[in-house]
Amino acid sequence: MKEILTKYMAKYTSLTEAEQQAILDALMIEKFEKGSYLIKQGDSPTERCYFVLKGCVRQYQMDQDGKEVTTHFFTEEQAILLFNMEEPEQLSKFSLTCLEESLLVVGDVLSEQEMYKQYTELETMTRRMMETYLAQAHNEYATFIRSSPEERYKNIIQHRPDLLTRVPQHQLASYLGMTPESLSKIKKRIQS
């Protein structure tokens, strides 16, 4: 699994092989069982962040009617950022749960700051990764807002087809902003 991280570091940095190996050796990698929560809505803030090496993590929140609303799915080579340092009294507004057995790199603010002091290029990598993530999230949101439900589904087929087999239909429908029945009708229409 560490080859995934090596490839990722090479994409965003010019760290030497020795520096990359030292960083890899310092990282904490944890296995989470299917159904494990990384955080629950209403929990105290966490200083942890995650990077998915293997698996699928669902982000969702309960609305005022008690209905689960899926807001994101994180899969391989995606970062899950939970830092909440500016508002430490703010409780989590969402839950994160593993939909599959997952292997995650687990980080925290203190260890990250120490690594930045030792490897300045790592901070550059994190900044570039964040810029890429924010640009992608902005573009996905803009596309989602202006798309019809059918276009949203087609976008998933084109850009994240793995979700079609990894995620329960009702959660995918929630993520796409529709009912499971509407999603079924759209799928039938597209397959015809």
Side-chain angles (χ1 to χ4, degrees), residues 2-187:
K2 290 195 176 186
E3 60 274 358
I4 294 171
L5 290 170
T6 303
K7 181 182 115 186
Y8 203 77
M9 281 192 274
K11 179 179 175 181
Y12 288 104
T13 68
S14 57
L15 290 165
T16 66
E17 280 187 42
E19 290 171 324
Q20 287 181 20
Q21 189 58 51
I23 291 167
L24 290 173
D25 291 343
L27 292 175
M28 185 169 67
I29 299 174
E30 285 185 42
K31 180 180 173 181
F32 293 86
E33 296 300 321
K34 179 179 178 176
S36 298
Y37 279 89
L38 304 180
I39 193 167
K40 291 183 180 179
Q41 186 173 346
D43 281 356
S44 295
T46 181
E47 293 185 346
R48 296 180 103 188
C49 62
Y50 304 90
F51 183 84
V52 182
L53 293 173
K54 180 180 176 229
C56 182
V57 177
R58 174 182 172 233
Q59 178 179 303
Y60 69 95
Q61 58 190 165
M62 302 295 276
D63 67 11
Q64 56 273 30
D65 297 325
K67 184 176 132 192
E68 290 183 1
V69 178
T70 301
T71 53
H72 202 71
F73 295 104
F74 299 94
T75 55
E76 288 77 12
E77 295 186 38
Q78 291 186 317
I80 306 171
L81 309 168
L82 297 178
F83 295 139
N84 202 6
M85 296 183 310
E86 288 77 32
E87 300 173 352
E89 70 286 343
Q90 181 75 38
L91 299 179
S92 178
K93 295 179 180 170
F94 54 85
S95 296
L96 287 167
T97 186
C98 297
L99 294 181
E100 302 170 346
E101 182 179 283
S102 299
L103 198 58
L104 308 175
V105 175
V106 181
D108 65 79
V109 175
L110 294 177
S111 61
E112 192 173 278
Q113 295 303 321
E114 288 302 313
M115 289 181 85
Y116 288 163
K117 287 178 191 172
Q118 198 170 1
Y119 307 102
T120 56
E121 189 72 20
L122 186 61
E123 188 168 17
T124 302
M125 180 190 98
T126 303
R127 181 183 50 78
R128 287 181 182 154
M129 184 182 78
M130 291 296 302
E131 289 169 351
T132 300
Y133 172 78
L134 289 172
Q136 182 182 8
H138 177 75
N139 289 337
E140 285 175 4
Y141 181 71
T143 299
F144 182 87
I145 292 298
R146 70 174 185 265
S147 299
S148 69
E150 187 166 323
E151 289 169 332
R152 291 176 193 157
Y153 180 70
K154 287 179 179 177
N155 190 41
I156 289 290
I157 292 171
Q158 186 176 8
H159 298 287
R160 298 199 65 193
D162 63 308
L163 294 180
L164 301 175
T165 56
R166 297 174 84 172
V167 173
Q169 171 126 343
H170 69 281
Q171 293 175 0
L172 184 62
S174 173
Y175 177 62
L176 295 172
M178 62 181 83
T179 65
E181 296 78 21
S182 295
L183 179 56
S184 289
K185 288 176 185 175
I186 288 170
K187 286 169 78 174

